[in-house]
Amino acid sequence: MASDFSQLKVGFIGAGNMAYGIVKGILKSGYIIPANVTVSAPSANNFARFQEMGVHLVHSNVDTVSGTQLVFLAVKPHLIRTVVTEVLPHLTERHTIVSVAAGVTLETLEQLLPAEVGTVRLMPNLPCVLQEGALLFARGSTATPETGTLLKCLLSACGAVEEGPESWIDIHTGLSGSGVAFVYLFAEAMAEGAVKMGMPSVLAQRIAAQTILGAGHMLRDSGKPAAVLRGDVCTPGGTTIYGLHALEKGGVRSAAMSAVEAATERARELGQK
């Protein structure tokens, strides 16, 4: 793995949303130029948005691997074995493989790949495409701490990037990967409540989105726990405490915890298949 980021060549096998978001972030970081990024996919259907970024586009996974050192496997989980088998003869000790495939464990990757190839498991989430993602990665047994530092630098523009043990990856999937949809459901319900009270739907949706965006920024940037920020909004006998009481009576806290638990357990089940 090259220590000079400017000379590092990065490949992506797969041209879906996650690949797009990560490529966009890597280029935004300023460490890698478009000429040093190659993206491969069997179809050109998703190539247009990558073309706008000026990266190399090919249909050969072998070409992608042969011309790069850091390779992201951004394909569906059931395609991992097929893709690895295809490029296996072209992998060397200079390569590091980063899998973005949900449920594919480091153990599985290390069984498929040569022992000298570094492996990393990365789990981003959908807001990566807007550079507001939450990403967690775990290094395999042959991936060095320097590889972790490299990834944090390259992915920093994608959003918040954290490293942890692999056991956290499925939890991250339940909390942040699936959690995006949980937030959308809550936003939808809030907007519908406003519509019920007489606000036009389009305006209600816009305000609900901005409310969640603003609350998220405050939670991230203030340094205060969510419970403290929630308390800051409440005044004795005011509207917020009445609304919170209604949410608690509806079991929203328990439902949210159960949703993260259920999504995490499903991620673990998928990893065992």
Side-chain angles (χ1 to χ4, degrees):
M1 180 63 61
S3 58
D4 182 356
F5 292 179
S6 66
Q7 300 303 311
L8 179 66
K9 295 190 176 181
V10 184
F12 287 81
I13 297 179
N17 283 330
M18 291 307 172
Y20 172 70
I22 295 171
V23 169
K24 189 176 176 182
I26 286 177
L27 295 179
K28 186 178 178 181
S29 75
Y31 291 112
I32 306 293
I33 61 173
N36 285 347
V37 176
T38 301
V39 178
S40 62
S43 166
N45 289 344
N46 291 334
F47 276 1
R49 55 185 177 174
F50 289 94
Q51 286 174 329
E52 293 174 359
M53 293 188 283
V55 303
H56 289 300
L57 297 168
V58 298
H59 293 298
S60 169
N61 295 333
V62 170
D63 288 349
T64 298
V65 168
S66 298
T68 60
Q69 298 94 43
L70 181 65
V71 181
F72 288 81
L73 301 182
V75 298
K76 299 294 185 184
H78 70 277
L79 295 175
I80 287 290
R81 186 176 297 272
T82 300
V83 169
V84 170
T85 300
E86 177 190 3
V87 302
L88 195 58
H90 306 274
L91 291 171
T92 68
E93 69 279 355
R94 69 187 176 91
H95 284 103
T96 295
I97 300 296
V98 182
S99 171
V100 189
V104 179
T105 65
L106 287 170
E107 180 182 11
T108 297
L109 290 170
E110 290 176 345
Q111 288 174 349
L112 293 172
L113 294 164
E116 66 271 17
V117 173
T119 55
V120 177
R121 185 178 173 192
L122 170 68
M123 184 53 58
N125 67 352
L126 188 57
C128 273
V129 300
L130 297 178
Q131 311 299 277
E132 289 288 354
L135 303 88
L136 178 69
F137 70 88
R139 288 182 288 116
S141 59
T142 56
T144 64
E146 290 74 21
T147 297
T149 301
L150 169 70
L151 285 174
K152 284 186 176 180
C153 289
L154 294 183
L155 300 175
S156 60
C158 294
V161 186
E162 304 287 349
E163 180 179 2
E166 187 179 17
S167 60
W168 292 357
I169 295 287
D170 291 331
I171 303 171
H172 177 75
T173 301
L175 172 64
S176 187
S178 299
V180 172
F182 306 158
V183 173
Y184 293 154
L185 177 63
F186 192 70
E188 181 184 11
M190 286 177 62
E192 287 175 346
V195 171
K196 181 181 179 182
M197 292 294 98
M199 181 178 285
S201 178
V202 173
L203 178 60
Q205 292 177 43
R206 206 159 57 231
I207 292 177
Q210 184 60 39
T211 300
I212 288 173
L213 178 64
H217 278 303
M218 288 193 70
L219 183 59
R220 182 188 66 186
D221 299 339
S222 70
K224 295 181 180 180
V228 172
L229 290 172
R230 173 174 52 81
D232 288 346
V233 184
C234 294
T235 55
T239 61
T240 304
I241 193 64
Y242 271 70
L244 287 170
H245 187 202
L247 287 172
E248 293 288 6
K249 285 195 294 184
V252 68
R253 184 188 301 269
S254 176
M257 292 175 66
S258 294
V260 173
E261 180 182 6
T264 299
E265 292 296 347
R266 180 55 178 162
R268 289 172 176 166
E269 290 173 6
L270 293 173
Q272 294 169 0
K273 289 184 178 181

